[in-house]
Amino acid sequence: MVSEFLFHEAESTKAENTNYINLKIEIRELLKEPVNRKLFSEILFDLQKDVSGETLNRLHKLYVDLGLDQDAFAKLKSWKWHVVSKGILELTKMEVPESYGVIKKYINTKKGVIRKQAEIATATLKHEGINYFLDTTTYKISEWQQLKLLDVLRNFEDFQPPRFKVWFTSNNKDVVLFALRLAKYYNQNDANTSITELVKHRNNQIKTEAIQCIREFNIVEAVEPLKNIFWKCTVNIKLLILGAVASLGKEEDVVFLQLVANKDSNFTVKSKALGAINTICPESVMPTKGIDEKLANSSWKEVMEFSEEYILVKPELIKNNELLEEETDITADITEASKEVFVLPIKENIIEDKDLVANVNDIEVFTEEITPEVNEKEEETINFSESANTNLNFETSIDSSPIHVESLENTFELDATEHSENINDITVVFEEILQTNTPSELDLPIEESEEGIDTSEDDELEKELNFLPIIVDEETFSNNIIENEPEQEPSVIHFDEEEILIDFLPFIVDEQEENVAVTGIEVIYDEIVADNELSTQETVKQEESLLISLLKEDFDLDFIPIIESSTENKLIKDDTAEVADTIEVVEAVIPKAMFPEMTFEEEAKQLLDDIEEFGDQREVSLLNELLENEEYNHLSDRIQNILKKFNDNSNSSVPENKDLKHFCVFEDLFRICDTEAKLILMDEIVAVGDEKEILFLNSLLEDNNINISSKAEKLLKELQNKMMVQNILPIKNTKTISDEKVSDEYSRLMNELEIKPADSINFFDVEFEFSDEVLPADESNEIADEAEKADQASFLSNICSFSHKIIDKFNG
Amino acid sequence: MLEKKKLLLAEDDELLASLLNFRLQKGGYDVTLSRDGKEVKESLALAIPDIIVSDIMMPYFSGIELIDFIRNDLKLNIPIIIISSAGNEDNVLSAFELGANDFISKPVNPSELLVRVAREMNKM
C-alpha cells in the first residue's frame, strides 16, 4: 500500500489511477482508528531511514497528506517530556516545515532532552534555524551537540552559511566557541581582528580555538599579541602559541623563542620553543648534550695515516699452511685459480710467514694476561712475551681497526681426521661419590665400588660431604636403635645426706594430720585428686605417708615433693616397649599443696591486718568473737582498737536513717559556672526543682554574691510555695511544667475566691441496667432532662457563680 | 511480448525489500525476493537469474560470501549489484575484488537502483 502511494505516477494508466484513488479512500478509512494511525506512522518512520531522493520526499508528503503530522503536533502539547521529545523527533525526521515555529520555542526550555531535540530540529527544519539558535540560546552547548549540529549543516544541500563572526561577541561563551569552530570549518577568514582579540579571552577553550583559527587563516598580525599573552597562559596554550609562532613567525621571533627556552620551567615548552626555532631557522639549534668529543673529532682518515706501504702476498708462497721463505716455483699443489694477490697493510697486522702455524694442534693456549695501558693521547702497542709459547709476534695499536685479511682458502688445509683421532685419545675420568663415614651403631653394608673407579679420594670427599643427611633403611635403623639406647636415669630424686632447709615451697598435709591452732576460723580446702579410673586414693595416701615418714626422719623439710618415681619408671618402660605392649595404667595423683606452718599468733596478726585494711562495721561481730577468745594481750588490744575505729567511722559517716544524701543537679553545675550562668540556672530551679533544691537554695543564701543570695531567697520562697501546693493538690507526674503552673494558679484562685473544686466526674462510671419497663416517651424525656440538668448544675453552676464571685470580690 | 528479465533481490529488511520489490517489478523485472543467504542459494538452485541485487549484511551468508559462491563455485558471470550501508567501504572493495559489478549505498534511491540495474543489463 505504501509502495503504491510512493511510486504512483501521474502518467500511469487509468486502471492504476483508479486503483490509487481506491487505495486512498481505503487508507483514510483505516486511519480513523488510532492503532492503524500509529502503525502507519511507524512504517513511514522506518522507511524514511532507508530511502532517499524523490522517494523520501514523497514519503514526507504522504505523511503530511494523511494527517499523521497532527498526531506529532498533539504530542508537543503533552506534559510528559518523553512524549514531547518524540513528537519533536517525528516532525524533524519527516521534515514538516510547519513545525518550525512551534519547535523553536523549546530551545530554552529547562528540560535538557527537549531542549537538545529542539536545537537539532531548529537547525534541521530551516537553513536559517542555526541563526535563530545561536541568537537565542542561553544554555550550554555541549561538544556532542555541536558535532550533531555541524553534521546537520554539513548535510544540507545548497546551504549558505551565515557570517559566524557575528556571534563572536555573544554573551554565551559556548556560542562564541561554536561560532569559531563554524568559521574555521567554513573557512571564514574575514574576522581576523576579532579572532586575534579572542585570544585574550578568559576561557581556555576559546583561546585554543582562536589560536587554531589564527594558524589556519595564517593571521600573521596575531603573532605579537600571542607573544604578549604567552607568559600568563597554561602549558597547553603555551604550546599552541609556540606552534603558531613556529608556523607564522619570522627570524625576529627567534629571540622570543630563545627567551622561552631559557626561562620557562616546563621541559615540554622549552623543547617546543627549540623546535620552533629550528622551524623558523632550520638547523640553528643543534643537540649538544651527551655528545662524545672523541667521536666528534674522529675521522676515518686517521687509519690511513699509519699504513703507508702495502705488501703483496702471492698465493704461490703459501704451501701446506706454511709460508715459504724463498720464492720457489710451486706448480704442483697450487691451482691456477688461487693466483690471487692479497694486500696486507704494514704495521697493523703483519703476520710473518714464518710464524704461521700449520697444525692446529700445535697451537697452545695463551695463558698470560694482557693488560694494556690505555692512553687516549698516545698510541700503545701490545707485546706478547716469548714465554707465552706463541709464535705470533705482532704489534698492534689499540686504536686501530680490526685486522682485515682476505680469504685464504687455498692456503690452509686443515685435516679434520687428524683432529678426530686426537679427540678420541683424550682420557675421561669418571668419579663416584661414596659415603664411607657411617655411624658405628648402624653398620650399614657398603656396596663395593665398580672396577676401574678410583676411590682414593673418598676420605677427602667424606670430609666435604659431612653436612649431607644420611638416608638409611627403616628396618636396620629400628633394630639398632633399641639396642643402643642408653639407659635412662630413674626419675627419683636422691637427696644428699646433708640437711637441706627448703621452706619456701608449699606442701599438702592430710586432714588428719592438720592441727589448726587458730580456732574459730573455718578454713575450707579440698584435696585435688586426679580423675583417673584406675587410681585409688588409698594407695596414694599410703605412699605419701611412707615418703613423709622417711623424709621427716632424716630431713627437716617443709615440703615433700611427691614424685611417683615408680610410676614414672613404669611409664618410661612402657614407652620403650613397642606399640604392641599395652601401657599399664599408673596411679596418677596430683600431690597436695603444702603450706608452711604458721603459729596462731602470726595467723591472728595477718587476719587482723586484713580486717583493718579491708573491713568495715560488718566485721564488728567477728572482732567481738575474736576478742572473747583472744589470749594474747597485744592482739586483744589491737582488736579493741580496730573495733573502736570501726565504731567511730560508723557514727560519723553513715546516718542512722538509711536514706542517702539528696543529690542536687544544680550543685555540681554551680561549682563550674560563672555568676551569670548561675543566675540563669537559678531561674530554672523553680520550674524543675523540688525538695532537694530547697536545701541547695538554703546553702546559697549565705553566698558572697548579693545577686545570688537575693535571688536564692526569692526562689526559695517560690519553691516552698510550690512544694506546699504540690502537697495540697496531688499532681500526677505526667503533667508538664505548664500544666503545673496552671494548676498552681488555679488553686490560688480557688483559695482566694473560696471556691471548692468540684468532685471529679468520672464519665465512664455509668451504671445502668436495661429494664423491661418501657417508659413512656414523656417520662423518658423528663428523666433525661433531669440528668442533664443535674450535670449542668454541678459544672455550669461553678462557672456561672465564678463571675459573680469575682465581682463580689472587687466590690469587697 | 518481451520476456521479463529475472532479478534476484536479496534483502533482509522487509520494508525496504517490499519497497524495492515493488519498484523493480514496476520497472519491468521479474523479481524473486530472498530474505537471507540461504534462500538465495535455494533460489539459485531452482533458477539462475539475469541479475542479482544483494545486500551485504544478511543472515547465514553475507553478500561477499554469495559473490564468492556465485563466481567461484557456480562459475556464473551474471551481474551483481551490492547494496551497502554507510561505513562499509571495506566490504565494498572486497565485493569488487571478488567480482561485483556495481554498488549502491543506503539510503537507497529506488530510481537510482533502477537505472543501475538497467545499465548492467544493457552491458550484457
Side-chain angles (χ1 to χ4, degrees), chain A residues 3-4 6-9 16 43 46-47 49-55, chain B residues 13 15-16 18-20 22-23 26 105-112:
Chain A
S3 305
E4 289 278 355
L6 289 176
F7 299 116
H8 172 72
E9 292 170 7
E16 286 175 357
I43 289 168
D46 286 340
L47 262 178
K49 284 185 264 180
D50 293 328
V51 294
S52 64
E54 185 61 29
T55 312
Chain B
D13 186 348
L15 276 172
L16 183 63
S18 63
L19 193 85
L20 294 176
F22 182 87
R23 187 69 184 92
K26 205 172 179 184
S105 61
K106 282 182 178 176
V108 178
N109 188 344
S111 305
E112 185 185 343

Side-chain angles (χ1 to χ4, degrees), chain A residues 171-233:
Chain A
N171 291 331
N172 191 338
K173 59 177 177 61
D174 286 321
V175 170
V176 175
L177 183 63
F178 190 38
L180 269 170
R181 286 172 174 162
L182 288 170
K184 191 172 79 175
Y185 181 79
Y186 287 104
N187 211 14
Q188 294 178 357
N189 54 3
D190 56 347
N192 292 349
T193 314
S194 301
I195 294 170
T196 309
E197 202 60 32
L198 280 173
V199 162
K200 301 168 194 170
H201 202 277
R202 283 179 204 164
N203 187 289
N204 281 338
Q205 274 185 305
I206 292 172
K207 266 188 202 171
T208 306
E209 208 58 48
I211 294 168
Q212 287 173 354
C213 284
I214 287 168
R215 214 171 156 177
E216 184 80 20
F217 301 145
N218 288 321
I219 304 172
V220 181
E221 303 83 37
V223 172
E224 205 58 38
L226 285 174
K227 289 196 287 186
N228 292 335
I229 64 158
F230 178 83
W231 297 106
K232 294 176 186 174
C233 294

Side-chain angles (χ1 to χ4, degrees), chain A residues 506-509 590-595:
Chain A
F507 64 92
I508 297 172
V509 182
I590 298 168
K592 294 177 184 176
M594 299 182 75
F595 295 97

Side-chain angles (χ1 to χ4, degrees), chain A residues 365-371 383-390:
Chain A
V365 176
F366 178 68
T367 57
E368 206 173 284
E369 287 184 1
I370 304 165
T371 56
N383 293 317
F384 293 101
S385 61
E386 294 178 359
S387 61
N389 295 325
T390 55

